[in-house]
Amino acid sequence: MKAKLLLTTAALLTAAATFTTINSQENEMSFFITSAGSGDGANLGGLAGADAICSTLAQAAGSRGKTWHAYLSAHGTSSSDRVNARERIGFGPWYNAKGVEVATTINNLHSEYMQLGKENSLTENGDTVNGRGDSPNQHDILTGSSLSGRLIDDGSNHTCNNWTSNGEGTAQVGHFDRTGGGQNPNSFNSAHGSAGCGQENLVATGGAGYFYCFAID
C-alpha cells in the first residue's frame, strides 16, 4: 500500500513538474523594452541594427531560440519596400520578462485592451523603466509609427531617415507608461514626434533612445 502511495505521489509530482515546465516555456519572454539604446540617438543602424540590438539584449538576459525584431516602421527606398512595425513582430501572444501576457494578437496590441503600461512594459531583465514623474523621464519609445502600428505616410519622414540619423529630423515616439503630453499622450506607439534625432534631442523630450522588441516565433 505504501509502495503504491509513493508511486502515485511520485507520478503526481512528475506531472506537476512537467506542467510547470511547459507553462513556463509557453510564458517565456517575448516582449521587452530595451534597457539601452544604441547610444547614438535614433541612429540604430537601420532596422537590421535595431533587430541585432534586440537579439543581443535578449540573449544576455538568458533568452534562447527566438528571433527578435524591433517594433519600428520604415520608409520605402529604391531598393526596399515600406515597412510597418505591426507587420514585423509576429502574431502573438506576447509575454514580458515576468511571464505576464501583455497582448494576445496584433489587433489586441493596437487596442485599448492590451496590457502595456508602466507595470508590465519591462526591460529584458524584468526591470521597470523611468516614466513620467521619475527622474529622468525616459518614457518616449522610438517607433516611427501611427496609432495602428503603420508607417506615417504624410510626406514627411518620422523615422530619422529609417533609423540611420543622429542629427536633423524627427522620430515618432510612443509613451510606454501611456501618459504625458503630445497629440496622443496615452498611446504606447504614437504619442508625438521627437525634437530631433540626436541623443540629446531624444533626452530633451523625455526619452533615451529605447525601443520595443518582440519575438516573432
Side-chain angles (χ1 to χ4, degrees):
M1 182 67 180
K2 287 184 178 180
K4 288 184 178 180
L5 181 59
L6 288 172
L7 287 172
T8 301
T9 302
L12 288 172
L13 289 173
T14 300
T18 301
F19 175 80
T20 300
T21 299
I22 293 173
N23 188 58
S24 176
Q25 290 173 344
E26 289 178 348
N27 295 353
E28 188 178 357
M29 180 179 72
S30 49
F31 158 83
F32 63 88
I33 295 175
T34 58
S35 62
S38 67
D40 193 23
N43 177 13
L44 307 176
L47 291 179
D51 291 346
I53 292 173
C54 287
S55 296
T56 297
L57 292 175
Q59 290 174 15
S63 177
R64 298 290 184 271
K66 290 187 177 296
T67 302
W68 293 90
H69 279 181
Y71 180 93
L72 297 170
S73 293
H75 293 272
T77 67
S78 59
S79 59
S80 62
D81 295 330
R82 60 182 284 171
V83 176
N84 297 317
R86 65 180 289 145
E87 295 172 0
R88 65 187 322 268
I89 60 170
F91 302 98
W94 297 282
Y95 300 88
N96 68 15
K98 294 187 176 179
V100 175
E101 186 179 74
V102 296
T104 56
T105 64
I106 291 176
N107 286 336
N108 176 255
L109 175 66
H110 296 90
S111 76
E112 61 182 304
Y113 303 107
M114 54 78 158
Q115 298 301 310
L116 297 182
K118 187 167 185 181
E119 182 178 354
N120 292 333
S121 297
L122 307 176
T123 71
E124 72 279 3
N125 298 311
D127 298 325
T128 56
V129 179
N130 280 6
R132 192 181 192 196
D134 298 324
S135 183
N137 177 16
Q138 299 175 324
H139 73 167
D140 285 358
I141 305 297
L142 300 171
T143 70
S145 303
S146 66
L147 293 172
S148 65
R150 296 178 173 87
L151 178 72
I152 300 174
D153 192 9
D154 61 0
S156 298
N157 191 299
H158 299 273
T159 67
C160 285
N161 197 25
N162 285 349
W163 314 110
T164 62
S165 173
N166 62 0
E168 294 183 358
T170 185
Q172 191 73 0
V173 300
H175 290 158
F176 83 86
D177 53 1
R178 301 173 68 188
T179 185
Q183 300 93 332
N184 303 294
N186 300 328
S187 172
F188 87 99
N189 68 341
S190 195
H192 59 82
S194 68
C197 298
Q199 189 69 22
E200 292 184 358
N201 302 128
L202 300 182
V203 171
T205 51
Y210 300 156
F211 49 97
Y212 299 117
C213 297
F214 289 81
I216 68 172
D217 47 16

